[in-house]
Amino acid sequence: MLVSRRDLIKQISTLPLVGGLFTAGVITPHLTELSGRRDYYKELGLRSFINAAGTYTALTGCLMTEEAVEAYNYAAGQYVALDDLQDKVGERLAELIGCESATVTSGAFSAITLGLAGVLTGDDPKKAARIPYDLTDMKSEVILQKSHAIGYAHALKNCGVKIIEIETVDELEKAINENTAMLWFLNAHNFQGKIQYKEFIEVGKRHNIPMMNDCAADVPPVENLWKYTDMGFDLVCFSGGKGLRGPQSCGLLLGRKDLIRGARLSAPPRGDTVGRGMKVNKEEVLAMLIAVETYINRDHDADWKLWDSQIKLINKYAMEVEGVETEIHVPAIANHVPSINISWDQSKIKITPNEAREALRNGHPSIETVGGDKSVNITTWMMNPGEERIVARRLQEILMAAS
Ligand SMILES: *Cc1c(COP(=O)(O)O)cnc(C)c1O
């Protein structure tokens, strides 16, 4: 049985304070221990932590919403035919999001691979069986901007295609030929590229070449879920386990019906395919649907106000230490949430940001942040509400001790 957040709050407010760091109403990842259930991480010699970093795969991304966990547990107890479930969930997702078609993949990365596979094969399973090693009778080139060529573009290479990097519209026009399968776009780098949405889509449409947009980390805002298919991208990819708070090993492939039907040819349960290892089982497929439903219906203004107040609290505590400087910012596209970078005069506060991050990690409870030599960087959207107070106090404590 899932312990609801409200139950946890009730439970902890009746418990004595532990180690001085627990405050009534604060939920911490260590409550499993307090609630008398098995503490599996502890049995393994692992420690959980407060996630002040954000949606990082290495930190296991996000915590699923209660609604998603409930759906996950429901599916764990009852069989269903995988293709039927994907069909129905896809229809519901398309309805909810307002796109032509949708399917659940094992992450945004696999949405990219499967989406491209669908573009290459159309409805031909024999072609699907030849990806990535024999692209005879298939188009074999994908064009993208140099400034969009990040590591995740490897998901395209999994299909055996050749990647063509260009910079300007002129170069794009010249690169397009009869072997061009798809144009790929990295949403987060729209402003870094010389070709932005409007022109990119205009060229793709004119040449009748499918265009894919990788929007993995790009909700909030919620309207991004439909913005880019509306804009004219044929396929759009999202991570399920970032802002959507679904299973970390899920993603969404949204867009044209024919292309998504093609993508499904390379997806499990079909075995002789590039995608057979990208399995998403019933629990995750269902939990992904419910996560999207829950996400769309959230009070997004309330979320924003909460994050904003949390960042301001951390800022206030940090600024009480002499020599500290902070920068509160909101990234324009990906991870578009209130964030804070904290730095200090190291002649006054004798600890480096990396040492401070290590001290946060090694404390009780453990706190994960990001940053480097210059600053400690924090977001609060992946925390449980209340944990920002622990983070604010611990960071202040560490900086004061070094002053
Ligand atoms: C996170 C991310 C991915 C990978 O997403 P998964 O859901 O982990 O597979 C791909 N592209 C970008 C831009 C991302 O931020």
Side-chain angles (χ1 to χ4, degrees):
M1 245 281 289
L2 179 72
V3 181
S4 79
R5 191 162 289 167
R6 199 173 307 124
D7 287 344
L8 285 178
I9 291 170
K10 249 188 287 171
Q11 217 168 333
I12 191 149
S13 59
T14 59
L15 285 167
L17 292 186
V18 182
L21 272 174
F22 292 93
T23 315
V26 172
I27 300 156
T28 84
H30 308 281
L31 274 177
T32 44
E33 206 174 338
L34 298 173
S35 69
R37 292 185 290 161
R38 271 182 75 177
D39 191 340
Y40 302 106
Y41 291 158
K42 195 171 177 189
E43 288 175 26
L44 292 167
L46 298 169
R47 285 215 300 159
S48 186
F49 47 82
I50 292 175
N51 182 358
T55 56
Y56 290 87
T57 297
L59 304 178
T60 59
C62 68
L63 297 179
M64 284 190 274
T65 56
E66 279 175 32
E67 291 87 346
V69 172
E70 226 166 88
Y72 191 102
N73 289 340
Y74 168 93
Q78 302 185 52
Y79 293 106
V80 69
L82 184 59
D83 267 332
D84 292 349
L85 179 68
Q86 279 279 22
D87 287 347
K88 294 292 181 190
V89 164
E91 279 169 29
R92 273 295 286 147
L93 282 170
E95 235 170 69
L96 280 166
I97 293 168
C99 55
E100 205 177 292
S101 185
T103 195
V104 179
T105 64
S106 64
F109 194 93
S110 86
I112 296 168
T113 302
L114 293 176
L116 174 57
V119 167
L120 298 178
T121 62
D123 287 323
D124 187 349
K126 290 198 200 81
K127 286 183 180 168
R130 286 194 273 111
I131 294 176
Y133 58 86
D134 176 9
L135 301 189
T136 313
D137 305 331
M138 290 180 251
K139 295 180 191 284
S140 58
E141 294 178 5
V142 173
I143 306 175
L144 51 91
Q145 296 179 69
K146 243 187 205 113
S147 54
H148 291 211
I150 58 166
Y152 292 124
H154 196 119
L156 301 164
K157 298 176 194 163
N158 282 355
C159 287
V161 295
K162 191 172 158 198
I163 303 294
I164 315 282
E165 290 182 16
I166 52 92
E167 283 185 274
T168 63
V169 175
D170 206 41
E171 287 170 21
L172 175 57
E173 292 276 4
K174 286 199 184 107
I176 291 174
N177 65 69
E178 71 277 3
N179 287 324
T180 308
M182 193 174 83
L183 309 183
W184 191 76
F185 199 86
L186 178 65
N187 200 52
H189 285 196
N190 177 58
F191 298 115
Q192 270 122 289
K194 289 190 176 143
I195 316 171
Q196 301 189 355
Y197 304 121
K198 198 165 166 281
E199 252 183 323
F200 189 83
I201 290 169
E202 197 267 312
V203 174
K205 289 248 188 269
R206 186 149 36 79
H207 291 271
N208 198 23
I209 297 170
M211 292 164 280
M212 178 189 279
N213 192 4
D214 174 6
C215 298
D218 302 351
V219 289
V222 61
E223 57 270 21
N224 279 2
L225 277 176
W226 44 89
K227 180 174 175 180
Y228 300 103
T229 42
D230 284 356
M231 203 181 259
F233 284 99
D234 301 277
L235 290 170
V236 172
C237 310
F238 280 97
S239 287
K242 291 181 181 166
L244 290 172
R245 307 259 319 260
Q248 228 292 294
S249 45
C250 274
L252 299 174
L253 179 64
L254 312 175
R256 262 168 57 188
K257 203 168 215 148
D258 59 322
L259 298 180
I260 289 182
R261 199 172 57 231
R264 292 274 303 277
L265 275 190
S266 285
R270 282 153 288 283
D272 191 7
T273 61
V274 68
R276 179 57 179 81
M278 306 172 194
K279 192 192 281 186
V280 197
N281 203 17
K282 58 188 181 309
E283 298 84 0
E284 297 173 312
V285 175
L286 192 69
M288 191 66 247
L289 170 64
I290 300 308
V292 169
E293 186 189 88
T294 309
Y295 182 69
I296 290 176
N297 292 318
R298 284 186 78 82
D299 183 343
H300 297 280
D301 287 340
D303 281 345
W304 195 273
K305 276 186 197 128
L306 174 68
W307 299 330
D308 187 55
S309 72
Q310 290 171 319
I311 289 294
K312 282 180 179 147
L313 181 94
I314 293 167
N315 182 56
K316 177 174 165 286
Y317 273 72
M319 291 299 285
E320 282 169 13
V321 186
E322 208 198 304
V324 167
E325 261 181 52
T326 61
E327 186 213 351
I328 295 177
H329 65 108
V330 178
I333 303 181
N335 302 300
H336 177 74
V337 291
S339 312
I340 184 168
N341 296 350
I342 301 160
S343 55
W344 52 86
D345 179 346
Q346 286 179 42
S347 68
K348 286 186 184 147
I349 303 170
K350 295 192 173 5
I351 188 170
T352 68
N354 276 328
E355 286 164 352
R357 292 180 53 224
E358 192 60 22
L360 286 167
R361 177 178 297 131
N362 294 335
H364 298 273
S366 178
I367 298 167
E368 285 292 341
T369 57
V370 282
D373 285 343
K374 293 204 170 69
S375 60
V376 174
N377 305 343
I378 289 173
T379 61
T380 61
W381 65 318
M382 290 297 133
M383 293 180 188
N384 290 309
E387 289 175 345
E388 73 279 4
R389 279 176 270 163
I390 298 173
V391 174
R393 266 184 262 148
R394 277 292 296 145
L395 183 60
Q396 190 189 63
E397 215 170 86
I398 290 163
L399 296 178
M400 290 270 195
S403 295

